[in-house]
Amino acid sequence: MKLTIQWKLMASYLCLLLFIGGAFFVYLNHTLTTHLAHEIQENLKSESRLARMVAAREIRDMRRDAPAAAAAISRETRARVTVVLEGGEVVADSDIAPQYLGTLENHANRPEVRQALEQGGGAAVRYSATIKTPMLYVATVLNTTEGERGVLRLSLPLTAVEKAKQSIRTLLGASLVVSLVVALLLSYLLSRFTSRSLRTITTLATQLGRGDYGRRIPVITRDEVGELARVMNEMASQIERNLARISAEKNRLDTILRGMGEGLMVSDAGGTVTLVNPAFLELFGLTQSVEGRQIIEIARFPELNETFRAVVSSRSEHVEEMTLPLGEGKEVLTHWVPLMEEDELRGVVAVFHDISDLKRLEVVRRDFVANVSHELRTPVTVIKGYAEALAGGLVKEDPERAGRFLEIIYSHSERLADLIRDLLTLSQLESGGLQLELAQIHLDRAVAHAAGLLEQKAAKKEIAIDMSALAGAPPVLADPGRLEQVLINLMDNALKYTPPGGAITLSADEAGGMVRVSVHDTGIGIPPRDLPRIFERFYRVDAARSRDEGGTGLGLSIVKHIIQLHGGGITVESEHGRGTTFRFTLRKA
């Protein structure tokens, strides 16, 4: 039942009557307690003198022998027995186990102990904080045969006094009930008048409690009620400010968690997830909320759960790389940190860094170094071998053969120069250090110029280059030199891998604000397994044939970067044995 202020005021008035009865109760209680305590005290004094004689005979070392002696005396006297050293330290207590004696307070200031040490004996009636009941204490000085001095104290609970007090309470209760009925009517009228203004404050406070912090209580009076209204108004303002700050901090935290590229997971010490961010859900391919679930339930990867258990066990940070069997496999660097609060583990925070791209880049880097080394080793080895032969006197011995050697050296030095030039171009493109000189270019003219440079090679293989579909194609915005490099690379590749008598067709069409250029050949095509890697550096479908044709393996990679630098893209479609089509896009001028 909810008590209103009116009923509380009534209760305060009725307390006056209770106070009178309480005073009477206190007087009788004190008288009875004193009388009974005197009788019990005299009996305890007699028992304490007998107990001292026994203890003096049994105890040689206070700390060692006192607990056993106190327990024996307590069994015979049915009283609580305590042995206290002269300095106040408790070395034995029949109601306290020896291992807990160290937790007791020093008893040097206990009145009965102090009196016993000064006069040989002492007594007191007071509340025992140790066993939570009123007690009668009788103490006497104790001297052991070894010369140690202390105090032997006997104590008994005042149960008889408590029973008498209970009877008095019953009598007082009956008399107070009659008085309360008489006073009830007067107290009701007076309390109703006094609580009227407080009810107004209660109504407005209820509205504040429901979240309407814009409401304020009018301060009408300058008494305690008016002060209460003013304090509640200040409290409402403070709560409103605190809620606004908490809401802002929560929004800021949510924004940070949403913006984190790394997955974040927070769990309690038992492995129950309490917080995750969107990056974590995306990393593990989760679509539903995971808060409140176990780690092993949301991600069934034994390695993940084992790492969590290791962090909980060691209570130290843990960094580990692991592979998640998701899709093609994800390489994840995990950083686990235990949440400690006053040496107690509250939970674990784990941050997941997806390093799959870094691992792939590391593989690409190693492959690149290996490929560059391989591509450079062949021409350098050839040049070195033939140069050594020439240096050995071959020029004089066989001038004709020496001339062929020089041609071979020159051919491989040209290949080496082409490789270095392509590497430098690729490096400039990837670093973004290459500046484009954009201009409006007509595709039919640009393709015709590039085809003219390859005309002799096309005629030698009797391959026709069809550019008729470019007539009327919209102009594009591109760097003339780089666009020519793209066209020559694509057309040269088409010539290399198209059998004699084949054809190369170039066409263009609009795609939104872009122009899509297609280079189609009737060559040998590209196997499906090689299509995803065709634009990688040094990747060749037929490595031996490509080297025989003089390629460096960097052409398509350079083409891709040039097109991307122009803001376009490049794709490839091929059917093995029937031809290949490269399509790239450029911005329309």
Side-chain angles (χ1 to χ4, degrees):
M1 177 180 176
K2 180 180 178 182
L3 294 179
T4 63
I5 189 66
Q6 177 181 348
W7 291 104
K8 291 180 181 179
L9 288 172
M10 288 179 60
S12 67
Y13 299 146
L14 295 177
C15 282
L16 293 174
L17 181 61
L18 293 175
F19 175 77
I20 297 173
F24 183 63
F25 168 80
V26 170
Y27 173 76
L28 291 180
N29 181 66
H30 175 71
T31 302
L32 183 59
T33 302
T34 304
H35 175 72
L36 293 179
H38 179 74
E39 293 295 326
I40 298 173
Q41 180 176 331
E42 291 301 318
N43 291 333
L44 274 182
K45 284 183 179 179
S46 298
E47 292 179 354
S48 68
R49 286 191 290 271
L50 294 174
R52 179 179 61 182
M53 296 174 61
V54 175
R57 185 176 64 252
E58 297 294 330
I59 299 176
R60 296 179 178 274
D61 185 307
M62 288 279 196
R63 298 182 185 275
R64 183 189 63 201
D65 303 328
I73 295 170
S74 176
R75 286 193 298 272
E76 297 298 324
T77 61
R78 299 183 181 278
R80 178 186 174 195
V81 180
T82 307
V83 179
V84 183
L85 295 181
E86 188 175 12
E89 181 184 355
V90 179
V91 295
D93 194 303
S94 59
D95 289 356
I96 305 297
Q99 61 267 30
Y100 297 112
L101 292 175
T103 64
L104 299 180
E105 296 179 356
N106 190 286
H107 281 38
N109 291 326
R110 298 294 195 273
E112 69 277 6
V113 175
R114 188 168 63 248
Q115 189 178 3
L117 291 173
E118 295 175 355
Q119 302 176 11
V125 177
R126 58 183 173 80
Y127 182 82
S128 171
T130 305
I131 61 176
K132 313 299 184 184
T133 186
M135 301 287 290
L136 170 63
Y137 296 93
V138 173
T140 181
V141 70
L142 173 64
N143 294 308
T144 66
T145 57
E146 298 296 328
E148 288 185 284
R149 188 165 184 262
V151 173
L152 177 66
R153 187 183 70 179
L154 275 68
S155 57
L156 285 173
L158 298 177
T159 55
V161 176
E162 290 300 322
K163 291 180 180 179
K165 288 166 64 177
Q166 184 62 38
S167 299
I168 294 175
R169 292 191 190 101
T170 303
L171 294 174
L172 284 175
S175 60
L176 285 176
V177 167
V178 175
S179 301
L180 286 172
V181 172
V182 175
L184 184 61
L185 181 60
L186 294 177
S187 61
Y188 173 78
L189 297 174
L190 183 60
S191 60
R192 182 171 180 81
F193 174 78
T194 307
S195 62
R196 183 181 302 169
S197 58
L198 292 177
R199 287 196 297 270
T200 302
I201 294 178
T202 302
T203 302
L204 295 177
T206 302
Q207 294 177 347
L208 292 177
R210 292 173 179 171
D212 187 6
Y213 300 109
R215 297 295 300 272
R216 295 294 181 266
I217 302 172
V219 181
I220 301 174
T221 63
R222 295 186 179 181
D223 56 7
E224 289 80 359
V225 176
E227 181 66 17
L228 175 61
R230 186 186 62 81
V231 170
M232 292 190 66
N233 289 337
E234 293 179 356
M235 180 183 66
S237 299
Q238 184 65 31
I239 292 175
E240 192 172 15
R241 289 192 296 269
N242 289 342
L243 286 177
R245 184 175 67 254
I246 292 173
S247 178
E249 291 177 355
K250 182 180 182 300
N251 292 336
R252 183 161 55 249
L253 178 60
D254 290 342
T255 302
I256 291 173
L257 292 178
R258 288 195 302 270
M260 285 181 62
E262 298 80 10
L264 177 71
M265 180 194 71
V266 182
S267 71
D268 61 17
T272 301
V273 177
T274 58
L275 176 68
V276 295
N277 68 342
F280 178 88
L281 299 176
E282 182 180 354
L283 180 64
F284 284 86
L286 302 172
T287 58
Q288 298 179 349
S289 176
V290 298
E291 282 83 356
R293 297 167 60 187
Q294 289 286 319
I295 294 177
I296 193 64
E297 294 179 14
I298 64 173
R300 298 186 180 277
F301 309 133
E303 188 177 2
L304 195 67
N305 197 52
E306 290 172 5
T307 304
F308 169 78
R309 296 299 174 192
V311 174
V312 171
S313 177
S314 63
R315 299 192 175 189
S316 60
E317 293 189 24
H318 195 79
V319 178
E320 182 176 346
E321 288 187 16
M322 57 181 65
T323 301
L324 304 180
L326 298 170
E328 298 180 356
K330 291 184 179 181
E331 297 289 334
V332 178
L333 176 64
T334 61
H335 187 189
W336 303 75
V337 180
L339 291 175
M340 305 297 296
E341 183 176 331
E342 297 181 354
D343 296 330
E344 183 177 354
L345 182 67
R346 294 294 185 181
V348 175
V349 176
V351 180
F352 298 82
H353 304 266
D354 188 354
I355 58 173
S356 303
D357 291 338
L358 293 178
K359 290 293 185 180
R360 282 192 290 269
L361 288 175
E362 180 65 18
V363 172
V364 171
R365 185 191 65 81
R366 288 197 300 266
D367 291 345
F368 176 74
V369 172
N371 288 329
V372 168
S373 301
H374 179 76
E375 294 294 335
L376 291 175
R377 183 171 63 247
T378 300
V380 169
T381 301
V382 172
I383 292 173
K384 180 181 178 182
Y386 283 103
E388 287 176 351
L390 292 174
L394 185 63
V395 175
K396 295 181 179 179
E397 295 173 1
D398 191 349
E400 184 179 351
R401 188 181 177 193
R404 291 197 304 273
F405 281 12
L406 287 174
E407 290 178 359
I408 294 173
I409 290 174
Y410 178 77
S411 172
H412 281 276
S413 65
E414 282 292 315
R415 179 182 172 187
L416 190 61
D418 290 342
L419 178 61
I420 294 173
R421 183 175 59 253
D422 286 349
L423 283 172
L424 290 175
T425 301
L426 189 60
S427 176
Q428 287 180 321
L429 291 169
E430 290 182 341
S431 65
L434 188 66
Q435 297 296 326
L436 298 178
E437 297 180 1
L438 299 178
Q440 179 176 304
I441 299 175
H442 293 277
L443 285 173
D444 52 350
R445 300 174 189 173
V447 171
H449 178 70
L453 298 176
L454 299 171
E455 183 179 1
Q456 184 176 357
K457 189 173 185 179
K460 185 177 180 180
K461 296 184 69 174
E462 297 182 352
I463 294 175
I465 301 178
D466 183 8
M467 301 174 287
S468 59
L470 293 174
V476 296
L477 193 63
D479 184 308
R482 296 303 171 186
L483 178 58
E484 180 179 292
Q485 190 173 0
V486 169
L487 293 171
I488 289 177
N489 263 301
L490 294 177
M491 294 169 66
D492 186 48
N493 280 342
L495 290 172
K496 289 177 183 176
Y497 299 104
T498 299
I504 299 173
T505 305
L506 290 96
S507 61
D509 59 81
E510 292 190 41
M514 308 291 286
V515 176
R516 182 169 50 207
V517 181
S518 301
V519 179
H520 173 74
D521 64 56
T522 58
I524 60 176
I526 302 171
R529 68 176 183 276
D530 294 311
L531 284 174
R533 302 188 61 187
I534 197 67
F535 293 105
E536 291 182 12
R537 291 170 292 190
F538 294 110
Y539 187 79
R540 296 184 175 92
V541 177
D542 186 346
R545 178 171 181 176
S546 179
R547 290 193 183 95
D548 292 341
E549 296 286 348
T552 62
L554 297 173
L556 289 178
S557 182
I558 291 173
V559 167
K560 177 183 176 182
H561 281 84
I562 290 176
I563 296 300
Q564 289 177 343
L565 193 61
H566 279 80
I570 185 169
T571 60
V572 59
E573 295 177 3
S574 183
E575 186 176 352
H576 191 49
R578 301 191 64 178
T580 302
T581 301
F582 283 90
R583 294 185 178 90
F584 63 90
T585 57
L586 295 170
R587 284 179 293 175
K588 186 167 63 173

PDB file of all heavy atoms in Angstrom, residues 310-336:
ATOM      1  N   ALA A 310      41.313 -18.824 -24.022  1.00  0.00           N
ATOM      2  CA  ALA A 310      42.699 -18.550 -23.633  1.00  0.00           C
ATOM      3  C   ALA A 310      42.836 -17.160 -23.007  1.00  0.00           C
ATOM      4  O   ALA A 310      43.556 -16.974 -22.029  1.00  0.00           O
ATOM      5  CB  ALA A 310      43.626 -18.681 -24.849  1.00  0.00           C
ATOM      6  N   VAL A 311      42.123 -16.177 -23.567  1.00  0.00           N
ATOM      7  CA  VAL A 311      42.176 -14.818 -23.010  1.00  0.00           C
ATOM      8  C   VAL A 311      41.537 -14.786 -21.622  1.00  0.00           C
ATOM      9  O   VAL A 311      42.055 -14.166 -20.691  1.00  0.00           O
ATOM     10  CB  VAL A 311      41.466 -13.822 -23.955  1.00  0.00           C
ATOM     11  CG1 VAL A 311      41.386 -12.438 -23.324  1.00  0.00           C
ATOM     12  CG2 VAL A 311      42.207 -13.737 -25.276  1.00  0.00           C
ATOM     13  N   VAL A 312      40.402 -15.478 -21.466  1.00  0.00           N
ATOM     14  CA  VAL A 312      39.740 -15.528 -20.155  1.00  0.00           C
ATOM     15  C   VAL A 312      40.633 -16.209 -19.124  1.00  0.00           C
ATOM     16  O   VAL A 312      40.714 -15.782 -17.966  1.00  0.00           O
ATOM     17  CB  VAL A 312      38.385 -16.264 -20.280  1.00  0.00           C
ATOM     18  CG1 VAL A 312      37.779 -16.518 -18.911  1.00  0.00           C
ATOM     19  CG2 VAL A 312      37.427 -15.464 -21.132  1.00  0.00           C
ATOM     20  N   SER A 313      41.335 -17.254 -19.548  1.00  0.00           N
ATOM     21  CA  SER A 313      42.196 -17.990 -18.620  1.00  0.00           C
ATOM     22  C   SER A 313      43.430 -17.193 -18.218  1.00  0.00           C
ATOM     23  O   SER A 313      43.791 -17.122 -17.047  1.00  0.00           O
ATOM     24  CB  SER A 313      42.612 -19.322 -19.248  1.00  0.00           C
ATOM     25  OG  SER A 313      43.501 -20.021 -18.410  1.00  0.00           O
ATOM     26  N   SER A 314      44.088 -16.548 -19.219  1.00  0.00           N
ATOM     27  CA  SER A 314      45.334 -15.818 -18.932  1.00  0.00           C
ATOM     28  C   SER A 314      45.090 -14.392 -18.460  1.00  0.00           C
ATOM     29  O   SER A 314      45.965 -13.785 -17.837  1.00  0.00           O
ATOM     30  CB  SER A 314      46.208 -15.785 -20.191  1.00  0.00           C
ATOM     31  OG  SER A 314      45.558 -15.065 -21.232  1.00  0.00           O
ATOM     32  N   ARG A 315      43.911 -13.846 -18.785  1.00  0.00           N
ATOM     33  CA  ARG A 315      43.569 -12.459 -18.430  1.00  0.00           C
ATOM     34  C   ARG A 315      44.616 -11.479 -18.949  1.00  0.00           C
ATOM     35  O   ARG A 315      45.009 -10.526 -18.271  1.00  0.00           O
ATOM     36  CB  ARG A 315      43.415 -12.296 -16.912  1.00  0.00           C
ATOM     37  CG  ARG A 315      42.305 -13.148 -16.334  1.00  0.00           C
ATOM     38  CD  ARG A 315      41.961 -12.774 -14.918  1.00  0.00           C
ATOM     39  NE  ARG A 315      40.813 -13.534 -14.442  1.00  0.00           N
ATOM     40  CZ  ARG A 315      40.179 -13.301 -13.298  1.00  0.00           C
ATOM     41  NH1 ARG A 315      40.587 -12.311 -12.526  1.00  0.00           N
ATOM     42  NH2 ARG A 315      39.149 -14.038 -12.937  1.00  0.00           N
ATOM     43  N   SER A 316      45.088 -11.722 -20.154  1.00  0.00           N
ATOM     44  CA  SER A 316      46.067 -10.849 -20.793  1.00  0.00           C
ATOM     45  C   SER A 316      45.706 -10.672 -22.258  1.00  0.00           C
ATOM     46  O   SER A 316      44.928 -11.457 -22.823  1.00  0.00           O
ATOM     47  CB  SER A 316      47.480 -11.442 -20.672  1.00  0.00           C
ATOM     48  OG  SER A 316      47.534 -12.715 -21.296  1.00  0.00           O
ATOM     49  N   GLU A 317      46.267  -9.622 -22.891  1.00  0.00           N
ATOM     50  CA  GLU A 317      45.992  -9.352 -24.300  1.00  0.00           C
ATOM     51  C   GLU A 317      46.503 -10.497 -25.170  1.00  0.00           C
ATOM     52  O   GLU A 317      47.483 -11.166 -24.832  1.00  0.00           O
ATOM     53  CB  GLU A 317      46.644  -8.033 -24.725  1.00  0.00           C
ATOM     54  CG  GLU A 317      46.032  -6.813 -24.061  1.00  0.00           C
ATOM     55  CD  GLU A 317      46.551  -5.525 -24.661  1.00  0.00           C
ATOM     56  OE1 GLU A 317      46.986  -5.553 -25.825  1.00  0.00           O
ATOM     57  OE2 GLU A 317      46.542  -4.493 -23.961  1.00  0.00           O
ATOM     58  N   HIS A 318      45.843 -10.676 -26.290  1.00  0.00           N
ATOM     59  CA  HIS A 318      46.187 -11.784 -27.180  1.00  0.00           C
ATOM     60  C   HIS A 318      46.011 -11.328 -28.617  1.00  0.00           C
ATOM     61  O   HIS A 318      44.951 -10.800 -28.968  1.00  0.00           O
ATOM     62  CB  HIS A 318      45.292 -12.989 -26.892  1.00  0.00           C
ATOM     63  CG  HIS A 318      45.795 -14.266 -27.481  1.00  0.00           C
ATOM     64  ND1 HIS A 318      46.804 -15.013 -26.920  1.00  0.00           N
ATOM     65  CD2 HIS A 318      45.445 -14.918 -28.613  1.00  0.00           C
ATOM     66  CE1 HIS A 318      47.031 -16.074 -27.657  1.00  0.00           C
ATOM     67  NE2 HIS A 318      46.211 -16.036 -28.704  1.00  0.00           N
ATOM     68  N   VAL A 319      47.032 -11.504 -29.436  1.00  0.00           N
ATOM     69  CA  VAL A 319      46.979 -11.152 -30.857  1.00  0.00           C
ATOM     70  C   VAL A 319      47.238 -12.425 -31.659  1.00  0.00           C
ATOM     71  O   VAL A 319      48.218 -13.130 -31.402  1.00  0.00           O
ATOM     72  CB  VAL A 319      48.013 -10.068 -31.217  1.00  0.00           C
ATOM     73  CG1 VAL A 319      47.957  -9.755 -32.714  1.00  0.00           C
ATOM     74  CG2 VAL A 319      47.775  -8.805 -30.403  1.00  0.00           C
ATOM     75  N   GLU A 320      46.351 -12.694 -32.611  1.00  0.00           N
ATOM     76  CA  GLU A 320      46.486 -13.935 -33.368  1.00  0.00           C
ATOM     77  C   GLU A 320      45.880 -13.777 -34.751  1.00  0.00           C
ATOM     78  O   GLU A 320      44.872 -13.086 -34.924  1.00  0.00           O
ATOM     79  CB  GLU A 320      45.778 -15.067 -32.617  1.00  0.00           C
ATOM     80  CG  GLU A 320      45.909 -16.414 -33.300  1.00  0.00           C
ATOM     81  CD  GLU A 320      45.280 -17.530 -32.493  1.00  0.00           C
ATOM     82  OE1 GLU A 320      44.994 -17.296 -31.305  1.00  0.00           O
ATOM     83  OE2 GLU A 320      45.065 -18.625 -33.051  1.00  0.00           O
ATOM     84  N   GLU A 321      46.529 -14.402 -35.730  1.00  0.00           N
ATOM     85  CA  GLU A 321      45.984 -14.471 -37.079  1.00  0.00           C
ATOM     86  C   GLU A 321      45.233 -15.792 -37.232  1.00  0.00           C
ATOM     87  O   GLU A 321      45.679 -16.826 -36.747  1.00  0.00           O
ATOM     88  CB  GLU A 321      47.110 -14.394 -38.125  1.00  0.00           C
ATOM     89  CG  GLU A 321      47.731 -13.014 -38.254  1.00  0.00           C
ATOM     90  CD  GLU A 321      48.706 -12.953 -39.423  1.00  0.00           C
ATOM     91  OE1 GLU A 321      48.655 -13.857 -40.281  1.00  0.00           O
ATOM     92  OE2 GLU A 321      49.528 -12.016 -39.455  1.00  0.00           O
ATOM     93  N   MET A 322      44.083 -15.717 -37.877  1.00  0.00           N
ATOM     94  CA  MET A 322      43.320 -16.934 -38.116  1.00  0.00           C
ATOM     95  C   MET A 322      42.627 -16.847 -39.464  1.00  0.00           C
ATOM     96  O   MET A 322      42.396 -15.754 -39.989  1.00  0.00           O
ATOM     97  CB  MET A 322      42.311 -17.175 -36.996  1.00  0.00           C
ATOM     98  CG  MET A 322      41.318 -16.042 -36.768  1.00  0.00           C
ATOM     99  SD  MET A 322      40.166 -16.388 -35.396  1.00  0.00           S
ATOM    100  CE  MET A 322      41.278 -16.438 -34.008  1.00  0.00           C
ATOM    101  N   THR A 323      42.310 -17.997 -40.015  1.00  0.00           N
ATOM    102  CA  THR A 323      41.628 -18.083 -41.304  1.00  0.00           C
ATOM    103  C   THR A 323      40.191 -18.504 -41.065  1.00  0.00           C
ATOM    104  O   THR A 323      39.932 -19.546 -40.455  1.00  0.00           O
ATOM    105  CB  THR A 323      42.326 -19.102 -42.215  1.00  0.00           C
ATOM    106  OG1 THR A 323      43.688 -18.702 -42.412  1.00  0.00           O
ATOM    107  CG2 THR A 323      41.629 -19.155 -43.565  1.00  0.00           C
ATOM    108  N   LEU A 324      39.254 -17.683 -41.535  1.00  0.00           N
ATOM    109  CA  LEU A 324      37.834 -17.994 -41.396  1.00  0.00           C
ATOM    110  C   LEU A 324      37.362 -18.685 -42.669  1.00  0.00           C
ATOM    111  O   LEU A 324      37.529 -18.145 -43.763  1.00  0.00           O
ATOM    112  CB  LEU A 324      37.023 -16.715 -41.169  1.00  0.00           C
ATOM    113  CG  LEU A 324      37.443 -15.851 -39.971  1.00  0.00           C
ATOM    114  CD1 LEU A 324      36.554 -14.622 -39.884  1.00  0.00           C
ATOM    115  CD2 LEU A 324      37.389 -16.642 -38.681  1.00  0.00           C
ATOM    116  N   PRO A 325      36.778 -19.857 -42.547  1.00  0.00           N
ATOM    117  CA  PRO A 325      36.324 -20.592 -43.751  1.00  0.00           C
ATOM    118  C   PRO A 325      35.041 -20.007 -44.315  1.00  0.00           C
ATOM    119  O   PRO A 325      33.992 -20.644 -44.324  1.00  0.00           O
ATOM    120  CB  PRO A 325      36.124 -22.013 -43.212  1.00  0.00           C
ATOM    121  CG  PRO A 325      35.793 -21.824 -41.770  1.00  0.00           C
ATOM    122  CD  PRO A 325      36.570 -20.622 -41.314  1.00  0.00           C
ATOM    123  N   LEU A 326      35.137 -18.782 -44.798  1.00  0.00           N
ATOM    124  CA  LEU A 326      33.990 -18.099 -45.392  1.00  0.00           C
ATOM    125  C   LEU A 326      34.308 -17.812 -46.857  1.00  0.00           C
ATOM    126  O   LEU A 326      35.274 -17.095 -47.153  1.00  0.00           O
ATOM    127  CB  LEU A 326      33.699 -16.790 -44.653  1.00  0.00           C
ATOM    128  CG  LEU A 326      33.314 -16.926 -43.164  1.00  0.00           C
ATOM    129  CD1 LEU A 326      33.288 -15.562 -42.512  1.00  0.00           C
ATOM    130  CD2 LEU A 326      31.964 -17.612 -43.027  1.00  0.00           C
ATOM    131  N   GLY A 327      33.491 -18.335 -47.752  1.00  0.00           N
ATOM    132  CA  GLY A 327      33.756 -18.122 -49.176  1.00  0.00           C
ATOM    133  C   GLY A 327      35.078 -18.754 -49.557  1.00  0.00           C
ATOM    134  O   GLY A 327      35.317 -19.950 -49.370  1.00  0.00           O
ATOM    135  N   GLU A 328      35.971 -17.917 -50.091  1.00  0.00           N
ATOM    136  CA  GLU A 328      37.294 -18.386 -50.482  1.00  0.00           C
ATOM    137  C   GLU A 328      38.262 -18.355 -49.310  1.00  0.00           C
ATOM    138  O   GLU A 328      39.450 -18.626 -49.471  1.00  0.00           O
ATOM    139  CB  GLU A 328      37.841 -17.519 -51.628  1.00  0.00           C
ATOM    140  CG  GLU A 328      36.982 -17.588 -52.896  1.00  0.00           C
ATOM    141  CD  GLU A 328      37.557 -16.716 -53.997  1.00  0.00           C
ATOM    142  OE1 GLU A 328      38.563 -16.025 -53.731  1.00  0.00           O
ATOM    143  OE2 GLU A 328      37.009 -16.735 -55.103  1.00  0.00           O
ATOM    144  N   GLY A 329      37.767 -18.021 -48.104  1.00  0.00           N
ATOM    145  CA  GLY A 329      38.638 -17.958 -46.933  1.00  0.00           C
ATOM    146  C   GLY A 329      39.060 -16.526 -46.653  1.00  0.00           C
ATOM    147  O   GLY A 329      39.473 -15.795 -47.553  1.00  0.00           O
ATOM    148  N   LYS A 330      38.932 -16.121 -45.414  1.00  0.00           N
ATOM    149  CA  LYS A 330      39.319 -14.769 -45.015  1.00  0.00           C
ATOM    150  C   LYS A 330      40.426 -14.848 -43.985  1.00  0.00           C
ATOM    151  O   LYS A 330      40.324 -15.572 -42.990  1.00  0.00           O
ATOM    152  CB  LYS A 330      38.123 -14.007 -44.429  1.00  0.00           C
ATOM    153  CG  LYS A 330      37.041 -13.662 -45.446  1.00  0.00           C
ATOM    154  CD  LYS A 330      35.943 -12.810 -44.803  1.00  0.00           C
ATOM    155  CE  LYS A 330      34.879 -12.447 -45.823  1.00  0.00           C
ATOM    156  NZ  LYS A 330      33.808 -11.605 -45.218  1.00  0.00           N
ATOM    157  N   GLU A 331      41.486 -14.093 -44.227  1.00  0.00           N
ATOM    158  CA  GLU A 331      42.573 -13.979 -43.268  1.00  0.00           C
ATOM    159  C   GLU A 331      42.245 -12.833 -42.314  1.00  0.00           C
ATOM    160  O   GLU A 331      42.023 -11.702 -42.754  1.00  0.00           O
ATOM    161  CB  GLU A 331      43.901 -13.725 -43.971  1.00  0.00           C
ATOM    162  CG  GLU A 331      44.346 -14.840 -44.892  1.00  0.00           C
ATOM    163  CD  GLU A 331      44.780 -16.068 -44.121  1.00  0.00           C
ATOM    164  OE1 GLU A 331      45.198 -15.907 -42.955  1.00  0.00           O
ATOM    165  OE2 GLU A 331      44.709 -17.176 -44.670  1.00  0.00           O
ATOM    166  N   VAL A 332      42.204 -13.122 -41.018  1.00  0.00           N
ATOM    167  CA  VAL A 332      41.794 -12.126 -40.027  1.00  0.00           C
ATOM    168  C   VAL A 332      42.855 -12.033 -38.944  1.00  0.00           C
ATOM    169  O   VAL A 332      43.331 -13.054 -38.431  1.00  0.00           O
ATOM    170  CB  VAL A 332      40.434 -12.505 -39.383  1.00  0.00           C
ATOM    171  CG1 VAL A 332      40.046 -11.490 -38.320  1.00  0.00           C
ATOM    172  CG2 VAL A 332      39.360 -12.580 -40.448  1.00  0.00           C
ATOM    173  N   LEU A 333      43.226 -10.778 -38.626  1.00  0.00           N
ATOM    174  CA  LEU A 333      44.121 -10.510 -37.500  1.00  0.00           C
ATOM    175  C   LEU A 333      43.248 -10.093 -36.326  1.00  0.00           C
ATOM    176  O   LEU A 333      42.536  -9.092 -36.393  1.00  0.00           O
ATOM    177  CB  LEU A 333      45.125  -9.406 -37.848  1.00  0.00           C
ATOM    178  CG  LEU A 333      46.059  -8.965 -36.701  1.00  0.00           C
ATOM    179  CD1 LEU A 333      46.960 -10.120 -36.293  1.00  0.00           C
ATOM    180  CD2 LEU A 333      46.889  -7.755 -37.115  1.00  0.00           C
ATOM    181  N   THR A 334      43.282 -10.871 -35.249  1.00  0.00           N
ATOM    182  CA  THR A 334      42.416 -10.605 -34.097  1.00  0.00           C
ATOM    183  C   THR A 334      43.231 -10.059 -32.934  1.00  0.00           C
ATOM    184  O   THR A 334      44.348 -10.512 -32.685  1.00  0.00           O
ATOM    185  CB  THR A 334      41.694 -11.886 -33.653  1.00  0.00           C
ATOM    186  OG1 THR A 334      42.665 -12.870 -33.274  1.00  0.00           O
ATOM    187  CG2 THR A 334      40.837 -12.429 -34.775  1.00  0.00           C
ATOM    188  N   HIS A 335      42.658  -9.093 -32.245  1.00  0.00           N
ATOM    189  CA  HIS A 335      43.283  -8.483 -31.062  1.00  0.00           C
ATOM    190  C   HIS A 335      42.284  -8.567 -29.913  1.00  0.00           C
ATOM    191  O   HIS A 335      41.236  -7.938 -29.949  1.00  0.00           O
ATOM    192  CB  HIS A 335      43.662  -7.026 -31.362  1.00  0.00           C
ATOM    193  CG  HIS A 335      44.442  -6.397 -30.255  1.00  0.00           C
ATOM    194  ND1 HIS A 335      44.726  -5.051 -30.218  1.00  0.00           N
ATOM    195  CD2 HIS A 335      45.005  -6.921 -29.134  1.00  0.00           C
ATOM    196  CE1 HIS A 335      45.421  -4.775 -29.132  1.00  0.00           C
ATOM    197  NE2 HIS A 335      45.597  -5.901 -28.462  1.00  0.00           N
ATOM    198  N   TRP A 336      42.609  -9.385 -28.921  1.00  0.00           N
ATOM    199  CA  TRP A 336      41.707  -9.636 -27.791  1.00  0.00           C
ATOM    200  C   TRP A 336      42.232  -8.913 -26.561  1.00  0.00           C
ATOM    201  O   TRP A 336      43.418  -9.022 -26.228  1.00  0.00           O
ATOM    202  CB  TRP A 336      41.607 -11.130 -27.501  1.00  0.00           C
ATOM    203  CG  TRP A 336      41.152 -11.959 -28.657  1.00  0.00           C
ATOM    204  CD1 TRP A 336      41.881 -12.313 -29.761  1.00  0.00           C
ATOM    205  CD2 TRP A 336      39.863 -12.544 -28.841  1.00  0.00           C
ATOM    206  NE1 TRP A 336      41.132 -13.070 -30.621  1.00  0.00           N
ATOM    207  CE2 TRP A 336      39.887 -13.243 -30.077  1.00  0.00           C
ATOM    208  CE3 TRP A 336      38.703 -12.570 -28.095  1.00  0.00           C
ATOM    209  CZ2 TRP A 336      38.793 -13.935 -30.566  1.00  0.00           C
ATOM    210  CZ3 TRP A 336      37.602 -13.270 -28.579  1.00  0.00           C
ATOM    211  CH2 TRP A 336      37.658 -13.946 -29.802  1.00  0.00           C
TER     212      TRP A 336
END
